[in-house]
Amino acid sequence: MIPFLDLQKINARYSEAYHQKLDEVLHKGWFILGDAVQQFESEFASLCGARYAIGVGNGLDAIALLLRAYIQLGRLQEGDGIIVPANTYIATILGIQQAGLVPVLVEPDPVTFTLCSIQAKRAITPKVKGIMVVHLYGQRASMEALAALAEEHQLALFEDAAQAHGISFFGSYCKTFSFYPGKNLGALGDAGAVVTDDPEVAAQVRLLRNYGSPEKYVHTLPGTNSRLDELQAAFLQVRLPHLLDENEHRRQLAARYAKGINHPQIQLPQVADPSLHAFHLYVIRTPKREALQAYLLANGIQTMIHYPIAPHKQAALQNIATDALPVTEQLHREVLSLPISPVLTFEEQQVIIDCLNAFPG
């Protein structure tokens, strides 16, 4: 069996270093917002080319806390609209809602699957005050066009980079990350971060993640408890130096898929610039998804669907979309994610390619 993602194999390579970090944390006896968190925040900010990284509990909290920080600073108000691609993972939308803001769903670019500046422009109303870009599957969205749109209409611009660790970003816009175990930079549990060049935003997120407390037992605003765990930060320090090399292996795998797959029922992803794609996922499209997925599984190849149900079709988000979203719904019916990871070998990948090309559908 070729697994979709072999986390045991990925983490086994770092087992000795993980155990060493565990011993260090246990020896220090400081488990909340200690040295490991501070060191990882500094190292991750440097990787992103930013001044600050603030570790939080998970990627969803990162989105909500960043937006709450903007509200605390008076840059947004509760009830403001935030444009967001309709085909994102539900966490992006929930984070906007949890901050007291209103998601405004728009159709993605049907070629790249990322936020379309033309569709975003059509969604701008006096109530819209921001844009949340999602670098879906690891591909950097068209930030130049979106940044120009945001500047023209004086909108705040944010980036959900939960699937885009290690790419070169455009500009200095506030970003949110998830370090969920399956990410390119994955912890051994939940973890996330807000990355920014803005000292005011950084200070607000630090307060908000820690009960609104600048010092013990002093609370200046109603915050929450969403602190990056000291042990997870230590584990992330182990993985961080290997991220760019692992991303390069993913790019090599993606290039081999693009060159090797040749089937009339399979549409390959369109990549404008491989250096701006982390290839967190390699997502094909096919009108015969269920048949292809079953065929691959019967031949010992696991795949996944990211994501089978569009957010606006989820019971949790009833009535969130006022307009039809046919592009989004078609994508959710047709996308299929192939195995791609730092431990997938070229030999295993060739088995996948040969099997795809032999699909009888």
Side-chain angles (χ1 to χ4, degrees), residues 58 66 76 78 90 104 116 146 151 157 159 161 169 213 219 221 240 244 251 256 279 312 328 332 343:
N58 52 70
L66 170 59
L76 292 172
E78 289 192 13
I90 195 172
V104 179
C116 173
L146 291 164
E151 182 177 2
L157 186 63
E159 299 177 71
F169 293 102
S213 175
H219 305 270
L221 54 84
L240 186 61
L244 297 184
R251 291 188 183 100
R256 287 171 56 88
F279 288 103
H312 68 281
T328 293
H332 283 263
V343 295

Coordinates of all heavy atoms in Angstrom, one line a residue, residues 58 66 76 78 90 104 116 146 151 157 159 161 169 213 219 221 240 244 251 256 279 312 328 332 343:
N58 N -3.5 27.0 17.3 CA -3.8 26.4 16.1 C -4.1 27.4 15.0 O -4.1 28.6 15.2 CB -5.1 25.4 16.2 CG -6.2 26.2 16.8 OD1 -6.9 27.0 16.2 ND2 -6.6 25.9 18.1
L66 N -5.8 37.3 14.8 CA -5.3 38.4 13.9 C -6.5 39.4 13.7 O -6.3 40.6 13.8 CB -4.8 37.8 12.6 CG -4.5 38.8 11.5 CD1 -3.4 39.8 12.0 CD2 -4.0 38.1 10.3
L76 N -10.7 47.6 12.1 CA -11.9 46.9 11.6 C -12.9 47.1 12.7 O -12.6 47.4 13.9 CB -11.7 45.4 11.3 CG -10.8 45.0 10.2 CD1 -10.6 43.5 10.2 CD2 -11.4 45.4 8.8
E78 N -16.6 45.2 14.3 CA -17.5 44.0 14.3 C -18.6 44.2 13.2 O -19.2 45.3 13.2 CB -18.0 43.7 15.6 CG -17.0 43.2 16.6 CD -17.6 42.6 17.9 OE1 -18.9 42.4 17.9 OE2 -16.9 42.3 18.8
I90 N -13.0 25.1 5.8 CA -14.0 25.8 6.6 C -13.3 26.7 7.7 O -13.9 27.7 8.1 CB -15.0 24.8 7.2 CG1 -16.2 25.6 7.7 CG2 -14.3 24.0 8.3 CD1 -17.3 24.6 8.2
V104 N -17.5 37.1 3.2 CA -18.2 37.4 1.9 C -17.5 36.4 0.9 O -16.4 36.6 0.4 CB -18.0 38.8 1.5 CG1 -18.6 39.1 0.1 CG2 -18.5 39.8 2.5
C116 N -9.7 34.9 -6.9 CA -9.7 35.7 -8.2 C -9.9 37.2 -7.9 O -10.9 37.5 -7.3 CB -10.7 35.1 -9.1 SG -11.0 36.0 -10.6
L146 N -4.2 41.3 -6.2 CA -5.1 41.5 -5.0 C -4.6 42.6 -4.1 O -5.4 43.3 -3.5 CB -5.1 40.2 -4.2 CG -5.8 39.0 -4.9 CD1 -5.5 37.7 -4.2 CD2 -7.3 39.2 -4.8
E151 N -5.4 48.1 -2.1 CA -5.0 49.5 -2.0 C -6.0 50.5 -2.7 O -6.3 51.5 -2.1 CB -3.6 49.6 -2.7 CG -3.0 51.0 -2.5 CD -1.6 51.2 -3.1 OE1 -1.1 50.1 -3.6 OE2 -1.1 52.3 -3.0
L157 N -5.7 43.6 4.0 CA -5.4 42.4 3.2 C -4.6 41.4 4.2 O -3.7 41.8 4.8 CB -4.5 42.8 2.0 CG -4.2 41.6 1.1 CD1 -5.4 41.1 0.4 CD2 -3.2 42.1 0.0
E159 N -3.4 37.1 4.8 CA -3.1 35.8 4.0 C -3.3 34.6 5.0 O -2.6 34.6 6.0 CB -1.7 35.9 3.5 CG -1.4 37.0 2.6 CD 0.1 37.1 2.2 OE1 0.5 36.2 1.4 OE2 0.8 38.0 2.6
A161 N -2.0 31.3 5.2 CA -0.9 30.6 4.6 C -0.7 29.2 5.3 O 0.4 28.7 5.3 CB 0.4 31.4 4.7
F169 N 6.9 35.1 0.0 CA 5.7 35.9 0.0 C 5.9 37.2 -0.6 O 7.0 37.7 -0.8 CB 5.2 36.0 1.5 CG 4.7 34.8 2.1 CD1 5.5 34.1 3.0 CD2 3.5 34.2 1.8 CE1 5.1 32.9 3.6 CE2 3.1 33.0 2.3 CZ 3.9 32.4 3.2
S213 N -3.5 39.4 28.9 CA -2.6 39.7 30.0 C -1.2 40.1 29.6 O -0.5 39.3 29.1 CB -2.6 38.5 30.9 OG -1.7 38.7 32.0
H219 N -4.9 42.0 33.4 CA -5.6 41.8 32.2 C -6.2 43.1 31.6 O -7.0 43.7 32.3 CB -6.8 40.8 32.4 CG -6.3 39.5 33.1 ND1 -5.9 38.4 32.3 CD2 -6.1 39.1 34.4 CE1 -5.5 37.4 33.1 NE2 -5.6 37.9 34.4
L221 N -7.5 43.5 28.4 CA -8.6 43.3 27.5 C -9.1 41.8 27.5 O -8.3 41.0 28.1 CB -8.2 43.6 26.0 CG -6.9 43.0 25.4 CD1 -7.2 41.6 24.8 CD2 -6.3 43.9 24.3
L240 N 12.0 22.7 11.4 CA 12.1 23.9 10.6 C 13.3 23.9 9.7 O 13.2 24.3 8.5 CB 12.1 25.1 11.6 CG 12.1 26.5 10.9 CD1 10.8 26.7 10.1 CD2 12.2 27.6 12.0
L244 N 12.7 23.7 3.8 CA 13.0 24.1 2.4 C 13.4 22.9 1.5 O 13.0 22.8 0.4 CB 14.0 25.2 2.3 CG 13.5 26.6 3.0 CD1 14.6 27.6 2.8 CD2 12.2 27.0 2.5
R251 N 8.5 19.6 -4.9 CA 8.4 20.3 -6.2 C 8.9 19.3 -7.3 O 8.4 19.2 -8.4 CB 9.3 21.5 -6.2 CG 8.7 22.7 -5.4 CD 9.5 23.9 -5.6 NE 9.0 25.0 -4.8 CZ 9.5 25.4 -3.6 NH1 10.6 24.8 -3.2 NH2 8.9 26.3 -2.9
R256 N 7.4 15.7 -11.8 CA 7.3 14.3 -12.3 C 5.9 13.9 -12.6 O 5.5 13.3 -13.6 CB 8.0 13.3 -11.4 CG 9.5 13.4 -11.3 CD 10.0 12.5 -10.2 NE 9.6 11.1 -10.3 CZ 10.2 10.2 -11.0 NH1 11.3 10.5 -11.7 NH2 9.7 9.0 -11.0
F279 N 3.5 23.0 -2.7 CA 3.0 21.6 -3.0 C 2.6 20.9 -1.7 O 3.0 19.7 -1.6 CB 3.9 20.9 -3.9 CG 4.0 21.4 -5.3 CD1 5.0 22.2 -5.7 CD2 2.9 21.2 -6.2 CE1 5.0 22.7 -7.0 CE2 2.9 21.7 -7.4 CZ 4.0 22.5 -7.9
H312 N -20.1 26.4 2.0 CA -21.4 27.0 2.0 C -22.5 25.9 2.0 O -23.7 26.2 2.2 CB -21.6 28.0 0.9 CG -21.6 27.4 -0.4 ND1 -20.5 27.1 -1.1 CD2 -22.6 27.1 -1.3 CE1 -20.8 26.6 -2.3 NE2 -22.1 26.6 -2.4
T328 N -17.1 26.8 -7.5 CA -16.7 26.2 -6.3 C -17.3 24.8 -6.1 O -16.6 23.8 -5.8 CB -17.1 27.1 -5.1 OG1 -16.4 28.3 -5.1 CG2 -16.9 26.4 -3.8
H332 N -15.4 21.1 -5.9 CA -15.5 20.2 -4.8 C -16.0 18.8 -5.2 O -15.9 17.8 -4.5 CB -16.4 20.8 -3.7 CG -15.7 21.8 -2.9 ND1 -15.2 21.5 -1.6 CD2 -15.5 23.1 -3.1 CE1 -14.7 22.6 -1.1 NE2 -14.8 23.6 -2.0
V343 N 8.6 11.9 2.1 CA 9.1 10.5 2.1 C 8.6 9.7 1.0 O 8.8 8.5 0.9 CB 8.8 9.9 3.5 CG1 9.5 10.6 4.6 CG2 7.3 9.9 3.7

